[in-house]
Amino acid sequence: MIFGASYNLFNAEEHFISSLLAHRNHFHYLNAVVQYESNFGESAQEELFRIVNFAKLNGLVDEVFEYKPDLTLPPSINELNKRNIGLSMAKRNNVDYFTTLDADEYYEENQLDFALDFIKTQIPITTVAS
């Protein structure tokens, strides 16, 4: 049973490393879908580049995908696209159970442990015949 998560990242980079550290031991697979340009064409803070690179170099994320928003689309569609990319990356890595996170989101360790244990013991994995 493989648990995975994807971070949707543009801002709140000051929380990203501590959120990763809070979750890294609970998820088998973590990715980040990062955009360095906002849905309105504004550049991200320079610190975002450094923090994402630090996370990659230190094994806090398994993969990083750079998302370039389509400025002709509504922001909500770009955000949905980012989350779907993270899901696709997780599927490619055989993740059975998946969640999305923003950089400033944290699960309390005991609540996360409870949820993951519940999934392991109460929710059977079914295989879809091809």
Side-chain angles (χ1 to χ4, degrees):
M1 193 173 295
I2 299 173
F3 295 103
S6 177
Y7 280 88
N8 177 7
L9 186 60
F10 169 72
N11 57 10
E13 63 273 359
E14 66 274 14
H15 299 285
F16 185 48
I17 298 301
S18 59
S19 181
L20 284 169
L21 290 170
H23 300 127
R24 179 72 261 191
N25 291 332
H26 298 281
F27 292 101
H28 303 102
Y29 171 81
L30 284 172
N31 72 48
V33 181
V34 60
Q35 65 187 85
Y36 297 107
E37 178 184 13
S38 79
N39 297 322
F40 302 100
E42 299 167 354
S43 294
Q45 297 293 318
E46 190 65 32
E47 186 72 1
L48 181 60
F49 295 92
R50 187 186 70 73
I51 287 173
V52 169
N53 195 45
F54 177 88
K56 287 191 300 192
L57 291 174
N58 288 282
L60 297 176
V61 291
D62 298 302
E63 290 184 276
V64 174
F65 181 91
E66 183 179 341
Y67 179 77
K68 296 184 187 208
D70 181 341
L71 300 180
T72 67
L73 295 175
S76 60
I77 300 300
N78 278 309
E79 293 302 309
L80 178 61
N81 289 343
K82 283 173 64 178
R83 293 191 192 272
N84 283 334
I85 289 167
L87 174 60
S88 293
M89 293 168 69
K91 285 180 177 180
R92 201 175 60 244
N93 284 274
N94 301 313
V95 168
D96 297 305
Y97 294 96
F98 174 79
T99 191
T100 64
L101 297 162
D102 291 327
D104 60 352
E105 292 181 329
Y106 300 81
Y107 288 107
E108 289 186 25
E109 187 169 2
N110 64 334
Q111 292 177 339
L112 184 56
D113 286 337
F114 177 84
L116 296 176
D117 287 341
F118 178 82
I119 291 168
K120 288 177 191 173
T121 60
Q122 303 297 319
I123 301 175
I125 293 181
T126 58
T127 304
V128 177
S130 38

